[in-house]
Amino acid sequence: MSAEPRINDRIRVPEVRLVGPSGEQVGIVPLAKALELAQEYDLDLVEVAANARPPVCKLMDYGKFKYESAMKAREARKNQAHTVIKEMKLRPKIDPHDYDTKKGHVVRFLKQGDKVKITIMFRGREQSRPELGYRLLQRLAEDVQDLGFIESNPKQDGRNMIMVLGPHKKKTEAMAEAREAQAARKAGRQGDGGEFSADDADDADGVDTVDEVDEVDEEVPATHDAG
């Protein structure tokens, strides 16, 4: 069955409850009278509540209505945000430089409004020292507490220990800030007479780099090994 409402001559009932073009209640009128009014106003008679008794019909420009509805749906899809779960893997005895690098990635993910799954990988005798992994996870959580919180406490999963960090900032807020920052950078380059860059190319194509990477229809882990 078609999802489109019945309009004009496709409406097959003896009478309808008619709503005027400005939303005013006209009342119950014969179908022929409603069609006659539609012609006088140069509008369409659209069945908006088929299951009512009698069905409710409204006088409107159906073509304009469909176009505006499509634009609203498109804008809603554009602004829709989906949380992505990123994954960062670390070793319990990670060196300071590697730790700072991994922490930087976690910071970036949280700023983008994404959750981060932190996995501590134990090997060999390290499996008998789970406290090493626990302390590392707690340290990382404290280092990024301004951007995220512990959504799932550390727990053992086979030879690994896992913790999930959630962002304080909503994905939609992160997306809006990223767009504003990108617009500010572009305005700054234009004001300085800078050359056309790769970021400008993204802007010209209507592509937001952060959104293009992170907006997906389901939560898909993006894994980053500790190396």
Side-chain angles (χ1 to χ4, degrees):
M1 295 181 63
S2 173
E4 294 284 333
R6 294 187 297 182
I7 65 172
N8 300 327
D9 294 336
R10 292 172 54 195
I11 302 173
R12 304 291 186 181
V13 291
E15 59 184 14
V16 299
R17 184 178 298 277
L18 186 63
V19 179
S22 300
E24 69 276 15
Q25 296 290 331
V26 177
I28 298 175
V29 300
L31 176 63
K33 178 62 176 178
L35 290 172
E36 180 181 331
L37 289 173
Q39 288 184 339
E40 289 181 7
Y41 283 106
D42 194 23
L43 296 172
D44 298 298
L45 182 66
V46 182
E47 190 177 58
V48 295
N51 294 328
R53 291 292 178 269
V56 179
C57 295
K58 184 176 181 179
L59 298 174
M60 68 173 74
D61 184 336
Y62 187 58
K64 180 180 179 181
F65 171 77
K66 284 186 65 177
Y67 174 79
E68 291 177 348
S69 297
M71 291 298 100
K72 290 179 181 178
R74 180 180 178 183
E75 189 65 23
R77 288 194 299 270
K78 179 180 177 182
N79 293 329
Q80 188 175 9
H82 300 274
T83 301
V84 177
I85 295 183
K86 306 287 188 178
E87 183 174 12
M88 186 64 61
K89 293 184 176 181
L90 298 83
R91 296 292 304 280
K93 295 181 180 179
I94 187 171
D95 67 60
H97 175 73
D98 286 344
Y99 174 80
D100 289 339
T101 299
K102 299 299 179 182
K103 184 180 69 174
H105 290 312
V106 173
V107 166
R108 177 165 56 88
F109 296 148
L110 292 173
K111 283 183 176 180
Q112 292 173 182
D114 294 319
K115 297 181 182 181
V116 188
K117 176 183 176 183
I118 312 296
T119 302
I120 304 296
M121 302 179 297
F122 296 96
R123 295 179 184 174
R125 296 181 180 179
E126 292 174 347
Q127 297 180 60
S128 64
R129 302 286 305 278
E131 69 276 8
L132 295 177
Y134 182 82
R135 285 201 295 264
L136 181 59
L137 291 175
Q138 289 296 320
R139 174 188 171 190
L140 180 58
E142 291 175 3
D143 287 346
V144 300
Q145 62 183 337
D146 291 342
L147 297 171
F149 62 95
I150 299 177
E151 185 173 288
S152 177
N153 287 314
K155 63 181 179 180
Q156 199 74 27
D157 183 16
R159 295 177 13 172
N160 300 328
M161 184 175 287
I162 295 172
M163 176 181 73
V164 177
L165 295 175
H168 291 313
K169 187 181 300 182
K170 293 182 179 180
K171 183 72 173 181
T172 49
E173 295 173 356
M175 289 166 56
E177 289 184 5
R179 291 195 184 98
E180 290 175 1
Q182 188 178 58
R185 290 195 301 269
K186 182 179 178 181
R189 288 192 297 268
Q190 291 176 342
D192 295 338
E195 296 181 356
F196 191 80
S197 66
D199 287 338
D200 293 320
D202 284 342
D203 293 336
D205 292 337
V207 176
D208 188 308
T209 304
V210 172
D211 298 342
E212 186 72 9
V213 172
D214 293 334
E215 287 186 31
V216 295
D217 292 332
E218 59 184 359
E219 296 188 348
V220 180
T223 303
H224 300 262
D225 292 329

